[in-house]
Amino acid sequence: MNKNALVIGASGGIAKVLIEKLVNTGEYETVYTVSRSAPDSILQGQQHESFDTVSEADVDDYVSKLKRSGVTLDYVVCATGILHTSGEMTLKPEKRLEDMNEEQFAEYFRVNTVLPAIWLKKLVKVVNKSGATIIFFSARVGSITDNSLGGWYGYRASKAALNMLVKTAAIEYRRRLPNTVLVCYHPGTVNTSLSKPFQTNVKQGKLFSPDFTCESLLKISSGLPVEQSPYYLDWAGEKIPW
Ligand SMILES: NC(=O)c1ccc[n+]([C@@H]2O[C@H](COP(=O)([O-])OP(=O)(O)OC[C@H]3O[C@@H](n4cnc5c(N)ncnc54)[C@H](OP(=O)(O)O)[C@@H]3O)[C@@H](O)[C@H]2O)c1
């Protein structure tokens, strides 16, 4: 066993459960985790570092350190994303055109699009050349084709832009790291702080636990043929139209 995994955004409601599951598979020598904050506890087999995961300089330091230590990554999950925030920087998904504002757009794109772009850029140094899977948490609302409801301008656009980045990077990865599978994943509506304010609108039986979506992800992402990468998949393993 000398496979390694990395989870970016370790404090998230979904990420926390995923980390536990990855450790428990016993498939990975080390599950590396990164987050802006320190976790309450570290599992055996987990190695954690806290830094600003959207800072290119910090990400570069971290990835370079892995590279210097001879670490290669087989399974990477970027589980970061924002929909609403309160406090100093308040984000609220827009309901109407008049709600759009520059500051809010900048924050959605910084976290939901630029952060994954930085990791896509840096990970080329450390992915296992003989086979790796990199998953980015996207959302169905990022589908340009499947948009019949409208609203949530900034979140939708930042996830659509993430999908475009992954699709574009897949072309270059195919040339430089042809054994890498890239995935944009929609976890369903999951019971975490991200979906809390919107859970009353969810149909019965459609609010998933982090456990459910993580199990699905692990099942779906194993054995995806590299020739068809990139994938945009939902929790059921169904393809979402880009
Ligand atoms: N929950 C749902 O219903 C749902 C539905 C569709 C898609 N998704 C997507 O699934 C992913 C995980 O969501 P979740 O439900 O686990 O959300 P969550 O519990 O709110 O976790 C938020 C995640 O985003 C990161 N994050 C938040 N603000 C950030 C910032 N300013 N800079 C850098 N990182 C930041 C956190 O990383 P740190 O560890 O650094 O704090 C954490 O990993 C997201 O991409 C989300 O868009 C969720």
Side-chain angles (χ1 to χ4, degrees), residues 6-80:
L6 166 68
V7 177
I8 302 152
S11 83
I14 297 175
K16 272 193 209 157
V17 173
L18 186 65
I19 292 163
E20 228 178 275
K21 286 189 182 292
L22 286 170
V23 168
N24 289 339
T25 61
E27 271 184 51
Y28 300 99
E29 191 161 298
T30 306
V31 175
Y32 293 91
T33 63
V34 298
S35 170
R36 294 164 302 157
S37 55
D40 298 334
S41 58
I42 304 269
L43 304 167
Q44 200 176 352
Q46 176 184 2
Q47 265 190 44
H48 183 84
E49 284 211 23
S50 303
F51 57 87
D52 184 5
T53 50
V54 72
S55 152
E56 182 161 357
D58 286 8
V59 175
D60 191 52
D61 281 352
Y62 179 75
V63 171
S64 302
K65 204 159 60 186
L66 290 181
K67 173 117 182 124
R68 279 196 304 277
S69 314
V71 173
T72 55
L73 299 173
D74 303 86
Y75 193 78
V76 179
V77 180
C78 181
T80 53

Side-chain angles (χ1 to χ4, degrees), residues 190-241:
V190 185
N191 189 6
T192 65
S193 55
L194 183 135
S195 68
K196 263 293 173 296
F198 313 99
Q199 290 181 359
T200 46
N201 306 327
V202 180
K203 285 194 197 124
Q204 210 174 5
K206 287 291 182 195
L207 179 64
F208 301 144
S209 65
D211 193 81
F212 172 81
T213 203
C214 291
E215 275 300 318
S216 302
L217 176 64
L218 292 176
K219 222 176 289 158
I220 289 161
S221 60
S222 72
L224 290 171
V226 72
E227 298 74 29
Q228 286 161 43
S229 172
Y231 294 89
Y232 183 20
L233 300 174
D234 72 8
W235 52 272
E238 298 290 332
K239 285 186 180 165
I240 302 172

Side-chain angles (χ1 to χ4, degrees), residues 23-196:
V23 168
N24 289 339
T25 61
E27 271 184 51
Y28 300 99
E29 191 161 298
T30 306
V31 175
Y32 293 91
T33 63
V34 298
S35 170
R36 294 164 302 157
S37 55
D40 298 334
S41 58
I42 304 269
L43 304 167
Q44 200 176 352
Q46 176 184 2
Q47 265 190 44
H48 183 84
E49 284 211 23
S50 303
F51 57 87
D52 184 5
T53 50
V54 72
S55 152
E56 182 161 357
D58 286 8
V59 175
D60 191 52
D61 281 352
Y62 179 75
V63 171
S64 302
K65 204 159 60 186
L66 290 181
K67 173 117 182 124
R68 279 196 304 277
S69 314
V71 173
T72 55
L73 299 173
D74 303 86
Y75 193 78
V76 179
V77 180
C78 181
T80 53
I82 46 165
L83 173 58
H84 62 91
T85 56
S86 52
E88 210 175 296
M89 172 77 212
T90 302
L91 289 192
K92 211 167 153 203
E94 309 87 349
K95 287 193 175 150
R96 56 209 295 266
L97 292 165
E98 286 77 2
D99 295 336
M100 288 196 276
N101 75 76
E102 190 181 338
E103 211 185 340
Q104 175 151 315
F105 268 124
E107 187 61 3
Y108 274 131
F109 275 81
R110 193 178 75 86
V111 180
N112 293 344
T113 316
V114 175
L115 183 158
I118 290 169
W119 283 94
L120 266 171
K121 173 177 172 180
K122 299 296 173 185
L123 284 168
V124 290
K125 293 188 194 177
V126 283
V127 290
N128 185 343
K129 290 192 170 63
S130 54
T133 303
I134 309 178
I135 293 146
F136 291 92
F137 270 70
S138 179
R140 192 187 297 280
V141 297
S143 167
I144 291 176
T145 312
D146 184 37
N147 181 2
S148 53
L149 277 180
W152 293 20
Y153 288 88
Y155 185 73
R156 273 184 195 281
S158 62
K159 290 292 192 182
L162 160 66
N163 292 347
M164 179 56 96
L165 281 172
V166 171
K167 217 169 171 190
T168 305
I171 293 164
E172 196 172 336
Y173 266 74
R174 205 170 297 144
R175 184 159 38 82
R176 296 171 59 177
L177 291 155
N179 298 315
T180 309
V181 173
L182 296 179
V183 182
C184 295
Y185 180 63
H186 168 62
T189 305
V190 185
N191 189 6
T192 65
S193 55
L194 183 135
S195 68
K196 263 293 173 296

